[in-house]
Amino acid sequence: TDPLMKDEYYLLVRREPAKKVVPKAFVFFKSIKDSFRRTIITEDRYKILLSGLGVTLGLSFFAGIFGTLLGAFICFLRLRKNPFVSAFASLYIRIFRSIPVVVLLLVFNYIVFRKSGLAAFWVCVITFSIEFSAYCSEIFRSGINAVLPGQSRAAVALGFGPMQTFRYVIWPQALVHFLPSYSGQFIATVKMTAVAGYIAVMDLTKASDIIRSRSYEAFFPLFLTSLVYFILSFLLVSMLRMAEQKIHPEHRLVDK
């Protein structure tokens, strides 16, 4: 058939300028920078991490002090010749070395101290101190038992009393034996404080989890938390290693 209408169509196409090729490395580092700003800088979220770090340091400090003192006392009871006292100390060690620290923390918070009004921070300190003391007592006992019995007999022959014998003869030698194990357990206790968030204590790990829930990004909160724990462990290892070198007879002889 013959067409009734004949028309022509025209399309106008805008010519785009040539796109500039951006290096992939630039895009990667820009995304990292933006992620760091959104995660840490926005709303001053880095202050949450600093607050959590302070809580972690406080928990580690008090747990280390109280756990060491309590562990020394349990070791003293463990070495007594009285079978009942020694059995009590042995039972204490077995119980608190067998219960996971998270379970022990929940038991103390929700059962033992539920109606006491004790702050959650101090519940954590008590829990970590008891857990640390159970390991410390065995570490101390192994170091004391590593000293040869002849050392004590020689000290007695020289006229030393029991306290003088322990202070000047047994303790310096035992310290050389147990300090490496003690330093390792102390670092484990510092890392153990990461479970404090189970009872709403905002330690370093809990702070990073709060930032992650707000920013919906997990990389920088967890990366910075891991980095801080690594630095803390490295500093503690360095300090304890310096102390070990100071007290070790061979190192002191080389220094002289």
Side-chain angles (χ1 to χ4, degrees):
T1 59
D2 296 332
L4 299 178
M5 182 179 67
K6 185 176 181 181
D7 198 359
E8 297 181 356
Y9 296 91
Y10 297 92
L11 296 177
L12 299 179
V13 181
R14 185 175 64 181
R15 179 175 295 176
E16 297 287 346
K19 294 184 178 180
K20 184 179 179 180
V21 179
V22 181
K24 293 183 179 180
F26 176 80
V27 176
F28 173 76
F29 286 110
K30 186 177 184 302
S31 64
I32 292 293
K33 179 181 177 181
D34 293 339
S35 177
F36 181 81
R37 178 182 52 81
R38 290 192 304 268
T39 308
I40 306 300
I41 305 302
T42 302
E43 298 178 356
D44 293 336
R45 289 174 182 153
Y46 66 92
K47 294 181 180 179
I48 302 177
L49 284 177
L50 294 177
S51 177
L53 175 60
V55 174
T56 296
L57 292 175
L59 290 174
S60 303
F61 175 77
F62 288 114
I65 296 296
F66 297 149
T68 300
L69 296 176
L70 183 57
F73 177 70
I74 297 298
C75 176
F76 173 78
L77 298 180
R78 184 77 169 82
L79 294 174
R80 295 301 89 194
K81 296 181 179 180
N82 189 320
F84 297 102
V85 175
S86 180
F88 168 77
S90 179
L91 181 63
Y92 175 96
I93 294 169
R94 288 179 180 272
I95 290 176
F96 292 112
R97 288 178 65 181
S98 302
I99 300 177
V101 66
V102 176
V103 177
L104 189 63
L105 182 64
L106 297 177
V107 168
F108 281 166
N109 187 67
Y110 295 112
I111 298 178
V112 178
F113 299 109
R114 182 170 62 92
K115 297 182 179 180
S116 65
L118 190 65
F121 176 87
W122 294 109
V123 174
C124 290
V125 169
I126 293 173
T127 303
F128 300 145
S129 299
I130 291 176
E131 187 80 10
F132 185 41
S133 68
Y135 289 94
C136 272
S137 60
E138 287 297 277
I139 292 173
F140 294 160
R141 187 174 69 91
S142 64
I144 293 173
N145 290 337
V147 180
L148 297 176
Q151 299 289 323
S152 300
R153 291 195 292 267
V156 172
L158 291 174
F160 282 34
M163 292 301 298
Q164 290 177 320
T165 300
F166 181 79
R167 179 180 177 182
Y168 296 108
V169 178
I170 298 178
W171 176 251
Q173 298 182 64
L175 196 61
V176 174
H177 292 290
F178 72 70
L179 191 57
S181 300
Y182 174 83
S183 62
Q185 189 58 45
F186 184 72
I187 292 170
T189 301
V190 173
K191 294 184 290 184
M192 188 193 304
T193 60
V195 303
Y198 276 86
I199 59 171
V201 174
M202 198 183 71
D203 67 314
L204 183 61
T205 304
K206 184 66 175 180
S208 68
D209 190 60
I210 291 174
I211 294 176
R212 181 192 57 79
S213 64
R214 292 182 182 179
S215 63
Y216 299 101
E217 295 187 32
F219 176 76
F220 274 110
L222 296 179
F223 173 76
L224 291 177
T225 301
S226 303
L227 181 62
V228 170
Y229 276 116
F230 172 78
I231 293 174
L232 286 177
S233 300
F234 178 79
L235 292 176
L236 288 172
V237 168
S238 301
M239 292 170 58
L240 292 171
R241 187 170 296 171
M242 290 174 60
E244 182 182 354
Q245 291 179 351
K246 290 292 184 181
I247 65 173
H248 201 287
E250 294 181 359
H251 293 292
R252 288 186 298 182
L253 185 61
V254 171
D255 294 337
K256 291 180 180 180

